[in-house]
């Protein structure tokens, strides 16, 4: 899927970072969204949705950062 390809590119780019200290540990790698199952993905989206509803000031901050994501 397109999402899976984006997640894979993100993970691989971090894993081959020129600065070894900036590379993720294996513990971080195995928890990367690339390896999430459908339930974990849905739970994440629901949690983010709930946070946005509970903190309306979060929306403008997210929108300001959107271009960098």
């Amino acid at each position: 899927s397109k999402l899976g390809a984006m997640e894979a590119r993100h993970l691989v780019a971090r894993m081959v970072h020129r600065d070894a200290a900036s590379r993720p540990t294996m513990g971080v790698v195995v928890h990367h969204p690339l390896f999430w199952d459908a339930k974990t993905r849905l739970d994440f989206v629901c949690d983010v949705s709930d946070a946005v509803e509970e903190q309306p000031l979060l929306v403008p901050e997210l929108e300001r950062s959107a271009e960098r994501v």
Side-chain angles (χ1 to χ4, degrees), residues 1-15 32-35:
S1 76
K2 191 173 185 177
L3 179 60
M6 288 184 346
E7 290 167 345
R9 278 194 301 273
H10 175 261
L11 179 59
V12 170
R14 291 190 60 209
M15 292 173 67
H32 189 275
L34 177 64
F35 303 114

Side-chain angles (χ1 to χ4, degrees), residues 2-40:
K2 191 173 185 177
L3 179 60
M6 288 184 346
E7 290 167 345
R9 278 194 301 273
H10 175 261
L11 179 59
V12 170
R14 291 190 60 209
M15 292 173 67
V16 298
H17 194 280
R18 186 176 301 237
D19 177 15
S22 297
R23 296 176 194 153
T25 64
M26 282 308 297
V28 171
V29 168
V30 299
H31 289 96
H32 189 275
L34 177 64
F35 303 114
W36 290 358
D37 60 18
K39 181 184 180 325
T40 303

